[in-house]
Amino acid sequence: MPTKNLMLFIALSFTFMCGWLYFQHFMGWGGRVPDQAKPPLPPVVKAVPPVPPWPFPGQKEREREAMRGISDRLLLTPNPVANAFGMSLFEIATLDSSWPPVKPEPPKIVEPKIEHYTLGAEGYKLNVELTNRGGGVERVTLNQFLAADQWGRPAPNDKKLDLVPGVGDPSHLLFLYQKPDDNRPVDTLGKRVWELDTHEHNPDADEQKIVFTTKLPEQKLRFTKTFTLKRGEYHVGLAVKIERYEDPGAGAGKVKYQLTGAHGLPIEGEWFTYIYRNALVGWLDNKGGGWRHLDSSTQISHWNGGDLQPRGDKALIYGAIAVQYFASVVAVDNEQESRDFLQAIRPTLEAAAVKGRIKARTQDSFVLATSGASSITFKLADIPGLKEQLRDLTEGQGVAVVWTMRGDDFVATSLRSESETNPLFFDDVTVRLISEPLTLNAGQSVEHKYVLYNGPVKVRQLGQLTGDRAVDPQLVERYEDLLNLNTLTDYQSPGWAGSFSSGIGLTYLVIKFTNLMHWLLHTLHGLVPYYGLNIIMLTVMVRGIMFPISRRQMHNQVTMQEKMAKLNPEVKKLEEKYKGDFNAFNQAKTEVYSRNGINPMSTLGGCLLLFAQMPIFLGLYYALQESIHFRLTPFLWIENLSAPDMMKWWGEQIPMISTPASQGGFLYLGPFFNLLPIVAVLLTLVQQKIMMPKPPPGQKLDEQQEMQQKMMKYMMVVFGFMFYKMAAGLVIYFIASSSWALAERKLFPPPKVTTVGGAAPPPGPSDNGDKGRPKSRGPRSGIGKSKSSRDRKEPENNGTLQKLKSWWEEVLEQAKKK
């Protein structure tokens, strides 16, 4: 019974409460006003606010009708009820009677709007697009150079080259270290929206400027980035100013920042190029000499970052990202009091690609199982369509992920087909310039100036542009010598070979001859305005100048080969005689060679002649490889002399040859049939066949010689695969050079060597090539008779070389006596 009464009491109480609430709503009673909703009595008449929504039909109309009968005087008359709530009757009458009262929503934080600004106009060398997001650079366009498509041909509609294409985060962002000894900076300055202070963009002016500022109240710091662009220049001036507030309570503090370089530079001709993105760091030694260090994108990707280049006892002057023909450089401006304020520069990996299979996934992340049996967890970047791409993938499906690092997280920026992606092309790198810790007291400031150069990696070639593309020679000199950007190209190769070449002076000679070849090409182009013909003319000119040396070298080489071929039967007998005793065989063979006029010094002389020609031909090769003038320049059916000739499209369906999945492999030739490399290989095979020594009449080549000739032929086939994707300009050079060598051999054949009974003939005009020299009529050595090297005459060599040869023969004679 008590339980029934209790249940009845609860039901009645619930019914009463519901009825009371219904009655309140029906009568329009307001209920209790919360404390936070008590506004002060207004001193002036308020506008009638909109009537709040009511839950019952017709309630809005009844309330509006009741409000119309209340006079304005009554609404403004204070009364005890109004004073009790701190409101006027007007406010009470218009109060929302819903219960519980609706709490006011917190004010919405309005995100600053991201804006874009431009520098440059008609007549400017650069167009620069900037953004207030991080106060950085989004895009840099070179107005005097055209863009190339993915195949290396001219892009449609004469599109200008976007050297910094505006993909991903802006370039040239500023980051701050919380403590000077921290390893990583915080990304506060790079993510925030900076305030626009000044934007001077007059198309008719010779200089344009934009200024961004931002503050860090906690550190009492104000940052200012000033970008300037002048007409006719290939760089943007950047001034970074840091100042501490004039706060008496703020003491001295250390500030250390990081400035990033450009990223996303386009790789032209992905299917044929072997030069991707390179990171370069330049510095000056104590004597003012320029040096630089290079890390390729492959190395940076493999190491997850490049080598940190600390200051040490040198002054760091630039960090650069370079592709084959262009570079984007952050250089310390030479027009300031001191250039020595950088602590270190390091290349870093900004984006890369990795292949694997989806192991697990959520809505905004997934786990990728890579080929190395490791798993990587990726978060999705906030990019439209990326979540939908992930949703369409199934677990276990192969995919190529283009990713970047944000803090300690791996962030996927793109999902691509595994079979159509070569990871090499997506490894994006940049350089980060780290300042020395700066001590700033209250009211103090410091300003560092940089030059953001964007142009040809061979800065010297800016001086060869003519007409509307011409550049002030003083500006070119500043780039090359004062900012030391000549070391981008004019420097030794990396590794021990480059150090050795530099130590013996070969690097210096190659650089000088390379610049000479650039000048000759430019001069020839002024006479004949076709760079394809200029390459042929320059090749003929160089080969003609080198004709006496190459002629001598060819004579020595062919003569030596023919002599050795005729002595092969005797050498074969020595092999059988001294079988198993290499030292005795080698000594006996040396005696036979010496007795017949063959000695190591003759071979050394040929090597010296070849070494003497090396700087010239390497200079010609590098000049053709790095010349900006060949890029997108047509010749005959060739659309781009800096790319393969691409005579015929044969598609991307040939397994291992042209499929995108085979890209990067040795057998991959690309989707085009290239004619010029085949012509070059055929000419080289013909030249090789003519130059090969022939056996004496009635004899055959031994097995060793036959094997050597076969190996040379096989090597030419291998070289054909290696050179198939070489730039057309370089292949034209090889064709012209091989044609010259064939003509030289046909028009000026080397003398024949004849023997009597297996011994070499007495030296005469036919042996040394001295035409018109009278034959010796004195008695000579007979058949099989050996003469001492001191008695034997060698008229073809005189001076130092003859002394060296005589010394070597003396050594051999002394060895024989022992």
Side-chain angles (χ1 to χ4, degrees):
M1 187 69 179
T3 305
K4 291 182 179 180
N5 293 336
L6 179 60
M7 296 296 295
L8 181 61
F9 175 78
I10 293 175
L12 291 174
S13 300
F14 180 78
T15 304
F16 177 79
M17 290 179 60
C18 292
W20 177 252
L21 290 176
Y22 178 85
F23 182 77
Q24 279 187 321
H25 281 292
F26 182 79
M27 295 299 297
W29 294 359
R32 188 175 66 87
V33 179
D35 294 337
Q36 63 268 25
K38 294 181 180 179
L41 187 67
V44 295
V45 179
K46 286 187 174 181
V48 179
V51 179
W54 302 97
F56 303 106
Q59 185 68 21
K60 292 182 180 180
E61 288 74 11
R62 288 194 294 270
E63 286 294 330
R64 292 194 184 108
E65 192 67 25
M67 289 296 296
R68 292 192 187 101
I70 302 176
S71 66
D72 294 338
R73 185 179 58 83
L74 179 59
L75 290 174
L76 297 177
T77 301
N79 59 77
V81 178
N83 289 334
F85 290 101
M87 296 183 296
S88 67
L89 290 178
F90 175 82
E91 291 169 318
I92 294 178
T94 58
L95 188 65
D96 186 354
S97 60
S98 60
W99 187 267
V102 179
K103 294 183 179 180
E105 295 183 0
K108 293 183 179 180
I109 300 177
V110 180
E111 295 290 340
K113 186 179 180 181
I114 297 177
E115 300 285 354
H116 302 273
Y117 311 91
T118 59
L119 294 177
E122 186 177 354
Y124 280 75
K125 305 299 183 184
L126 304 177
N127 272 351
V128 184
E129 183 177 327
L130 303 102
T131 177
N132 57 355
R133 185 164 68 97
V137 175
E138 284 203 330
R139 188 184 308 273
V140 177
T141 303
L142 274 59
N143 295 328
Q144 302 296 335
F145 295 93
L146 298 178
D149 64 11
Q150 60 177 331
W151 308 115
R153 298 174 301 192
N157 303 322
D158 293 336
K159 185 179 182 301
K160 304 301 182 182
L161 173 63
D162 291 330
L163 186 58
V164 181
V167 178
D169 292 335
S171 301
H172 308 305
L173 297 177
L174 205 64
F175 299 101
L176 189 67
Y177 290 84
Q178 287 185 334
K179 297 179 181 178
D181 55 351
D182 286 348
N183 292 326
R184 288 186 177 181
V186 293
D187 59 359
T188 307
L189 293 176
K191 284 186 174 180
R192 67 168 47 201
V193 176
W194 291 46
E195 297 179 5
L196 176 67
D197 182 84
T198 305
H199 185 202
E200 299 176 0
H201 184 221
N202 184 0
D204 299 326
D206 290 334
E207 180 178 355
Q208 300 178 4
K209 181 172 67 175
I210 189 168
V211 181
F212 295 112
T213 63
T214 192
K215 296 180 181 179
L216 292 181
E218 298 82 3
Q219 290 88 354
K220 304 295 183 183
L221 293 174
R222 179 186 293 109
F223 296 85
T224 304
K225 297 173 72 174
T226 303
F227 296 90
T228 56
L229 178 63
K230 294 182 180 180
R231 190 184 302 272
E233 294 184 344
Y234 275 89
H235 74 269
V236 180
L238 170 61
V240 176
K241 185 178 180 180
I242 308 173
E243 53 188 332
R244 192 176 291 277
Y245 296 167
E246 294 184 4
D247 187 351
K254 290 186 176 296
V255 180
K256 179 180 172 183
Y257 69 85
Q258 180 188 99
L259 178 64
T260 66
H263 65 90
L265 273 69
I267 299 175
E268 299 181 359
E270 295 179 356
W271 70 276
F272 65 81
T273 187
Y274 58 92
I275 298 178
Y276 305 106
R277 300 180 181 101
N278 295 325
L280 301 99
V281 176
W283 67 86
L284 296 177
D285 58 19
N286 295 329
K287 298 180 181 179
W291 299 78
R292 69 119 165 103
H293 175 80
L294 182 146
D295 285 332
S296 67
S297 58
T298 306
Q299 293 172 322
I300 297 171
S301 178
H302 181 70
W303 300 331
N304 287 327
D307 288 335
L308 178 69
Q309 299 298 318
R311 172 184 174 181
D313 58 350
K314 53 184 180 287
L316 298 168
I317 54 174
Y318 71 75
I321 301 298
V323 287
Q324 182 169 0
Y325 294 106
F326 297 97
S328 182
V329 186
V330 182
V332 179
D333 196 341
N334 64 301
E335 297 178 352
Q336 57 186 324
E337 184 176 351
S338 173
R339 300 177 67 186
D340 192 11
F341 52 78
L342 291 179
Q343 184 185 69
I345 301 178
R346 182 177 184 179
T348 57
L349 186 65
E350 296 300 301
V354 62
K355 293 183 179 182
R357 299 192 174 276
I358 301 294
K359 187 176 180 180
R361 61 177 181 172
T362 62
Q363 185 178 1
D364 53 2
S365 66
F366 63 94
V367 178
L368 186 74
T370 63
S371 58
S374 61
S375 297
I376 306 175
T377 301
F378 290 96
K379 293 183 177 180
L380 290 183
D382 188 15
I383 297 177
L386 202 55
K387 290 184 178 180
E388 289 74 13
Q389 292 183 24
L390 178 62
R391 187 177 57 207
D392 295 337
L393 297 176
T394 59
E395 294 187 6
Q397 182 175 349
V399 66
V401 182
V402 183
W403 61 273
T404 186
M405 289 293 295
R406 290 182 184 170
D408 296 327
D409 297 327
F410 294 90
V411 179
T413 59
S414 178
L415 301 176
R416 298 173 178 266
S417 171
E418 183 183 28
S419 62
E420 297 180 359
T421 302
N422 188 336
L424 288 174
F425 306 136
F426 299 100
D427 291 347
D428 188 19
V429 298
T430 191
V431 287
R432 296 174 182 266
L433 288 72
I434 305 168
S435 74
E436 291 280 2
L438 310 171
T439 301
L440 293 179
N441 295 312
Q444 286 186 334
S445 65
V446 65
E447 185 177 58
H448 293 161
K449 295 181 180 180
Y450 297 91
V451 170
L452 308 181
Y453 171 80
N454 293 272
V457 67
K458 184 77 172 180
V459 294
R460 173 188 289 263
Q461 291 196 300
L462 288 174
Q464 298 178 350
L465 301 178
T466 58
D468 296 338
R469 307 175 70 191
V471 181
D472 187 356
Q474 293 183 354
L475 181 62
V476 178
E477 182 181 359
R478 181 188 178 193
Y479 290 154
E480 187 176 14
D481 299 327
L482 301 181
L483 295 176
N484 299 99
L485 299 187
N486 60 323
T487 56
L488 292 172
T489 55
D490 297 350
Y491 194 72
Q492 68 185 49
S493 301
W496 67 267
S499 300
F500 174 77
S501 300
S502 179
I504 64 176
L506 179 60
T507 300
Y508 173 81
L509 291 175
V510 171
I511 291 174
K512 291 299 181 182
F513 279 111
T514 300
N515 293 332
L516 174 62
M517 297 305 168
H518 279 298
W519 178 81
L520 287 174
L521 274 171
H522 177 64
T523 304
L524 290 173
H525 187 69
L527 302 174
V528 180
Y530 299 100
Y531 275 110
L533 294 178
N534 298 151
I535 295 172
I536 299 174
M537 294 167 63
L538 182 60
T539 305
V540 172
M541 182 184 301
V542 173
R543 292 300 300 259
I545 295 173
M546 300 298 297
F547 173 73
I549 299 178
S550 61
R551 170 69 177 168
R552 187 68 180 176
Q553 178 192 2
M554 183 179 66
H555 169 265
N556 293 344
Q557 179 183 358
V558 174
T559 303
M560 187 68 62
Q561 288 176 347
E562 292 185 350
K563 286 182 178 181
M564 294 177 68
K566 289 174 173 53
L567 291 175
N568 278 338
E570 190 171 346
V571 173
K572 196 72 173 176
K573 293 178 182 179
L574 293 177
E575 287 182 0
E576 296 293 333
K577 181 178 179 180
Y578 299 102
K579 191 173 184 180
D581 190 348
F582 176 78
N583 291 331
F585 164 72
N586 194 40
Q587 183 176 355
K589 185 176 69 172
T590 303
E591 291 178 1
V592 172
Y593 283 168
S594 178
R595 186 170 61 247
N596 291 274
I598 303 174
N599 56 70
M601 292 307 300
S602 298
T603 306
L604 179 60
C607 293
L608 290 175
L609 291 175
L610 179 63
F611 186 78
Q613 301 176 68
M614 186 179 298
I616 300 174
F617 288 114
L618 284 178
L620 177 58
Y621 172 82
Y622 287 126
L624 297 175
Q625 184 188 50
E626 66 188 16
S627 177
I628 196 69
H629 304 301
F630 295 152
R631 180 182 172 273
L632 301 182
T633 299
F635 180 67
L636 300 177
W637 71 88
I638 306 166
E639 295 184 89
N640 183 1
L641 282 173
S642 66
D645 60 282
M646 296 182 281
M647 184 177 185
K648 183 69 175 178
W649 168 271
W650 62 16
E652 296 183 297
Q653 291 77 35
I654 306 175
M656 302 180 64
I657 300 295
S658 66
T659 56
S662 305
Q663 196 167 349
F666 177 76
L667 296 179
Y668 179 77
L669 301 180
F672 292 93
F673 170 75
N674 303 323
L675 177 63
L676 291 181
I678 298 176
V679 175
V681 170
L682 291 176
L683 283 175
T684 306
L685 286 173
V686 173
Q687 179 186 0
Q688 186 183 93
K689 185 176 181 179
I690 294 176
M691 295 291 292
M692 282 291 183
K694 297 178 176 58
Q699 297 184 17
K700 295 183 179 180
L701 294 176
D702 58 15
E703 295 181 0
Q704 183 178 2
Q705 289 178 321
E706 289 182 356
M707 181 61 67
Q708 288 178 352
Q709 293 192 9
K710 288 181 179 179
M711 287 299 297
M712 290 297 294
K713 292 179 181 179
Y714 295 151
M715 286 300 295
M716 289 312 304
V717 175
V718 175
F719 288 155
F721 275 92
M722 295 175 60
F723 297 155
Y724 186 80
K725 295 179 288 184
M726 186 174 287
L730 280 172
V731 181
I732 291 175
Y733 156 69
F734 286 125
I735 291 175
S737 182
S738 298
S739 301
W740 174 274
L742 289 174
E744 187 178 90
R745 181 62 186 266
K746 287 295 183 182
L747 296 176
F748 307 98
K752 297 293 183 181
V753 178
T754 59
T755 60
V756 181
S766 62
D767 268 346
N768 55 35
D770 294 337
K771 298 181 179 179
R773 188 178 186 130
K775 296 182 179 180
S776 174
R777 298 182 180 180
R780 308 300 293 176
S781 58
I783 299 174
K785 186 177 180 181
S786 174
K787 289 191 68 177
S788 172
S789 62
R790 289 169 294 183
D791 300 329
R792 195 164 54 243
K793 213 172 182 182
E794 298 284 353
E796 69 271 21
N797 294 312
N798 297 308
T800 305
L801 187 58
Q802 175 60 34
K803 292 179 182 179
L804 290 173
K805 293 173 67 175
S806 301
W807 171 81
W808 179 254
E809 290 175 357
E810 181 70 24
V811 172
L812 294 178
E813 288 293 333
Q814 294 296 329
K816 280 174 59 178
K817 292 178 181 179
K818 294 180 182 179

